[in-house]
Amino acid sequence: MEKEKLVVLIGPTAVGKTKLSVELAKRLNGEIISGDSMQIYKGMDIGTAKIKPDEMEGIPHHLIDIKDPMEPFSVAEFQELVREKITEITLRGKLPMIVGGTGLYIQSVIYDYHFSDAPSDEAFRLMLEKKAEAEGNESVHLELCKIDPVSAERIHPNNVRRVIRALEVFHCTGKTINELQENQKPELMYNAAVIGLTMDREILYQRINTRVDLMINEGLLAEVERLFNEGIKDCQSIQAIGYKELYEYFSHSISLEETISQLKQNSRRYAKRQLTWFRNKMNVDWFDMSDVVNTGMLEKKLAEISTHIEGKLQIKSNT
């Protein structure tokens, strides 16, 4: 059976994915699926750099604003939703494009990783569910910290189902979820062109700092204060960069100046982690965006990337 065609556009925060993806979608008759684990949340617009309606330029965007901030969201759920969207878009005669920077989530979609294949132990799972109910979510999360700190850092304590599943996998196999995945030899699920955008580190860091200032000017404080005042806390969504720092500010822990400085630093560190992840975990065709400083240069880069995709997927663009 022929694999579905797919474009994946990845890269660190502030590298220029949003604008480029819309222009590419116009050329390639594409629809965009958000590959960002936080843009799924309603009311979290500025801090997640969510695309504005007028910036979409008529290109359909999927998996944005589908969850309330208190709701958990797992890699497995993302995998299922995105794979459904890819098929829907393909059946409409359009080209599906995943655009974002959440490496683990995107990797789970395009490679054949199985989240449910590890053995289970219902009695063990029920015991942990009772423990969480009696002693609180933190009690089972602490158990995970002891045996699998990598997963514990990635899974919020309130996402009890995932915490318990990670403990169950270790209980049944003696291996962490991470170790099991590393031992798998995943197959690419799609006829995919995986495009990575990169940039000179200093230029990227300047863009990140500028973006944070712009977010503050656009009303990030008011956005986060509203969530804070609504009592939205101790949940996965508020762990996003830009929200967790400002929650400390609204809790009177640190000054605004210190908060903004910390937000910029955390964003730069996140960009570095994103690049490391993509380079180590995925087979990516990289394109340097350092010279894209005006419209003319963007057009040149667009032509270069779309030609590459056309060749790889054997398709024709609209230009």
Side-chain angles (χ1 to χ4, degrees):
M1 190 172 159
E2 193 179 338
K3 291 180 179 178
E4 293 165 308
K5 292 180 171 66
L6 175 69
V7 173
V8 181
L9 185 68
I10 57 176
T13 185
V15 78
K17 297 185 294 295
T18 302
K19 174 68 175 166
L20 189 89
S21 66
V22 169
E23 294 302 321
L24 272 177
K26 287 196 284 190
R27 285 175 180 238
L28 301 171
N29 195 26
E31 295 190 15
I32 293 171
I33 303 166
S34 171
D36 186 296
S37 63
M38 292 297 166
Q39 290 186 355
I40 58 156
Y41 290 112
K42 299 169 190 170
M44 295 176 62
D45 304 329
I46 300 169
T48 63
K50 201 176 285 178
I51 189 168
K52 300 178 180 74
D54 61 322
E55 293 172 335
M56 293 180 185
E57 298 188 39
I59 299 296
H61 281 66
H62 306 276
L63 262 64
I64 293 174
D65 294 338
I66 62 166
K67 292 272 185 181
D68 290 319
M70 285 297 286
E71 292 182 86
F73 190 60
S74 70
V75 180
E77 188 178 355
F78 179 82
Q79 182 193 68
E80 185 182 350
L81 288 172
V82 175
R83 287 180 180 173
E84 284 173 6
K85 284 291 172 195
I86 289 169
T87 300
E88 281 175 27
I89 293 165
T90 302
L91 290 173
R92 281 199 291 273
K94 299 291 190 76
L95 179 65
M97 299 172 57
I98 301 175
V99 179
T102 309
L104 176 69
Y105 280 58
I106 295 170
Q107 184 193 35
S108 78
V109 171
I110 66 173
Y111 292 107
D112 192 14
Y113 282 104
H114 300 287
F115 285 84
S116 57
D117 279 1
S120 57
D121 181 334
E122 192 176 352
F124 181 77
R125 188 167 65 248
L126 286 170
M127 180 196 75
L128 289 176
E129 285 171 1
K130 285 177 182 171
K131 181 180 173 72
E133 204 173 313
E135 300 173 28
N137 298 343
E138 281 288 349
S139 64
V140 287
H141 193 262
L142 282 171
E143 294 293 319
L144 187 60
C145 287
K146 292 173 194 170
I147 59 149
D148 186 0
V150 175
S151 292
E153 189 179 345
R154 204 165 61 212
I155 305 170
H156 191 272
N158 282 353
N159 199 338
V160 184
R161 187 181 63 175
R162 275 188 72 205
V163 171
I164 289 175
R165 180 59 181 148
L167 285 164
E168 185 183 21
V169 166
F170 186 81
H171 169 74
C172 293
T173 67
K175 293 180 184 294
T176 66
I177 285 178
N178 209 41
E179 286 169 336
L180 285 178
Q181 284 184 355
E182 282 174 0
N183 291 333
Q184 285 186 25
K185 291 190 168 43
E187 181 194 348
L188 203 55
M189 295 275 294
Y190 300 94
N191 178 10
V194 183
I195 307 299
L197 304 184
T198 186
M199 188 174 278
D200 173 82
R201 191 65 57 89
E202 285 308 307
I203 297 173
L204 180 63
Y205 285 176
Q206 285 168 17
R207 283 171 64 92
I208 288 169
N209 291 342
T210 302
R211 173 184 271 196
V212 170
D213 290 333
L214 186 63
M215 284 176 170
I216 297 295
N217 292 337
E218 286 183 343
L220 179 60
L221 265 70
E223 178 173 284
V224 180
E225 188 174 23
R226 176 181 52 76
L227 295 167
F228 185 85
N229 290 338
E230 285 174 4
I232 295 168
K233 60 178 183 176
D234 299 328
C235 56
Q236 194 174 336
S237 62
I238 301 306
Q239 300 309 303
I241 293 170
Y243 296 85
K244 60 182 178 182
E245 294 85 0
L246 282 167
Y247 261 55
E248 284 188 43
Y249 166 68
F250 288 119
S251 300
H252 309 294
S253 302
I254 54 176
S255 70
L256 182 58
E257 186 182 4
E258 197 179 345
T259 302
I260 293 169
S261 172
Q262 197 175 84
L263 174 46
K264 288 177 178 177
Q265 185 183 61
N266 288 347
S267 298
R268 293 193 300 269
R269 284 176 176 165
Y270 178 56
K272 189 178 177 184
R273 289 199 306 275
Q274 284 175 300
L275 282 165
T276 302
W277 174 279
F278 292 134
R279 286 184 174 133
N280 291 343
K281 302 279 188 181
M282 294 169 72
N283 187 14
V284 181
D285 298 321
W286 290 99
F287 290 84
D288 195 313
M289 299 289 285
S290 304
D291 55 354
V292 180
V293 288
N294 56 46
T295 308
M297 297 304 282
L298 179 62
E299 282 301 314
K300 185 181 173 186
K301 192 65 65 177
L302 264 168
E304 187 185 342
I305 294 173
S306 57
T307 301
H308 176 84
I309 293 169
E310 287 163 38
K312 194 144 190 173
L313 301 185
Q314 298 297 298
I315 56 174
K316 291 279 183 194
S317 74
N318 293 331
T319 56

